[in-house]
Coordinates of all heavy atoms in Angstrom, one line a residue:
Chain B
Y53 N 26.8 -68.8 -1.4 CA 26.7 -70.1 -2.0 C 25.4 -70.8 -1.6 O 24.8 -71.6 -2.3 CB 27.9 -71.0 -1.7 CG 29.2 -70.3 -2.2 CD1 30.3 -70.3 -1.5 CD2 29.2 -69.7 -3.5 CE1 31.5 -69.8 -2.0 CE2 30.3 -69.2 -4.0 CZ 31.5 -69.2 -3.2 OH 32.6 -68.6 -3.7
R54 N 24.9 -70.6 -0.4 CA 23.6 -71.1 0.1 C 22.5 -70.7 -0.8 O 21.6 -71.4 -1.2 CB 23.4 -70.7 1.5 CG 22.0 -70.8 2.0 CD 21.7 -72.2 2.6 NE 20.3 -72.2 3.1 CZ 19.2 -72.5 2.4 NH1 19.3 -72.7 1.1 NH2 18.0 -72.5 3.0
V55 N 22.6 -69.4 -1.2 CA 21.5 -68.8 -2.1 C 21.7 -69.4 -3.5 O 20.7 -69.7 -4.2 CB 21.6 -67.3 -2.1 CG1 20.6 -66.7 -3.1 CG2 21.2 -66.8 -0.7
W56 N 22.9 -69.6 -3.9 CA 23.1 -70.1 -5.3 C 22.8 -71.5 -5.4 O 22.2 -71.9 -6.4 CB 24.6 -69.9 -5.7 CG 24.9 -68.5 -6.2 CD1 24.0 -67.4 -6.3 CD2 26.1 -68.0 -6.7 NE1 24.7 -66.4 -6.8 CE2 26.0 -66.7 -7.1 CE3 27.4 -68.6 -6.9 CZ2 27.0 -65.9 -7.7 CZ3 28.4 -67.8 -7.5 CH2 28.2 -66.5 -7.8
Y57 N 23.2 -72.4 -4.4 CA 23.0 -73.8 -4.6 C 22.2 -74.4 -3.4 O 22.6 -75.2 -2.6 CB 24.4 -74.5 -4.6 CG 25.3 -73.8 -5.5 CD1 26.6 -73.3 -5.0 CD2 25.1 -73.7 -6.9 CE1 27.5 -72.7 -5.9 CE2 26.0 -73.1 -7.7 CZ 27.2 -72.6 -7.2 OH 28.1 -72.0 -8.1
P58 N 20.9 -74.0 -3.3 CA 20.1 -74.4 -2.1 C 19.9 -76.0 -2.1 O 20.0 -76.6 -1.0 CB 18.7 -73.7 -2.3 CG 18.7 -73.3 -3.8 CD 20.1 -73.1 -4.2
E59 N 19.8 -76.6 -3.3 CA 19.6 -78.0 -3.3 C 20.8 -78.8 -2.7 O 20.6 -79.6 -1.8 CB 19.3 -78.5 -4.8 CG 18.1 -77.9 -5.4 CD 16.8 -78.5 -4.8 OE1 16.8 -79.7 -4.4 OE2 15.9 -77.7 -4.6
T60 N 21.9 -78.5 -3.2 CA 23.1 -79.2 -2.8 C 23.4 -78.9 -1.3 O 23.8 -79.8 -0.6 CB 24.3 -78.7 -3.6 OG1 23.9 -78.6 -5.0 CG2 25.5 -79.6 -3.5
F61 N 23.2 -77.6 -0.9 CA 23.5 -77.3 0.5 C 22.6 -78.0 1.4 O 22.9 -78.5 2.5 CB 23.5 -75.8 0.7 CG 24.8 -75.1 0.5 CD1 25.6 -75.4 -0.6 CD2 25.3 -74.2 1.5 CE1 26.8 -74.8 -0.7 CE2 26.5 -73.6 1.4 CZ 27.3 -73.9 0.3
G62 N 21.3 -78.1 0.9 CA 20.3 -78.9 1.7 C 20.7 -80.3 1.9 O 20.8 -80.9 3.0
A63 N 21.1 -81.0 0.7 CA 21.4 -82.4 0.8 C 22.7 -82.6 1.6 O 22.7 -83.6 2.4 CB 21.7 -82.9 -0.7
A64 N 23.7 -81.7 1.5 CA 24.9 -81.9 2.2 C 24.6 -81.7 3.7 O 25.2 -82.4 4.6 CB 26.0 -80.9 1.7
S65 N 23.8 -80.7 4.0 CA 23.5 -80.4 5.4 C 22.8 -81.5 6.1 O 23.0 -81.8 7.3 CB 22.6 -79.1 5.5 OG 22.0 -79.0 6.7
R66 N 21.9 -82.2 5.3 CA 21.2 -83.3 6.0 C 22.1 -84.5 6.3 O 21.7 -85.4 7.1 CB 20.1 -83.8 5.0 CG 18.9 -82.9 5.1 CD 17.6 -83.4 4.4 NE 17.8 -83.6 2.9 CZ 17.6 -82.6 2.1 NH1 17.2 -81.4 2.5 NH2 17.8 -82.8 0.8
T67 N 23.3 -84.5 5.8 CA 24.2 -85.6 6.3 C 24.8 -85.4 7.6 O 25.5 -86.2 8.2 CB 25.4 -85.8 5.3 OG1 26.2 -84.7 5.3 CG2 24.9 -86.0 3.8

Side-chain angles (χ1 to χ4, degrees):
Chain B
Y53 298 139
R54 159 89 176 87
V55 172
W56 275 6
Y57 313 121
E59 297 292 322
T60 319
F61 267 48
S65 160
R66 282 192 292 276
T67 69

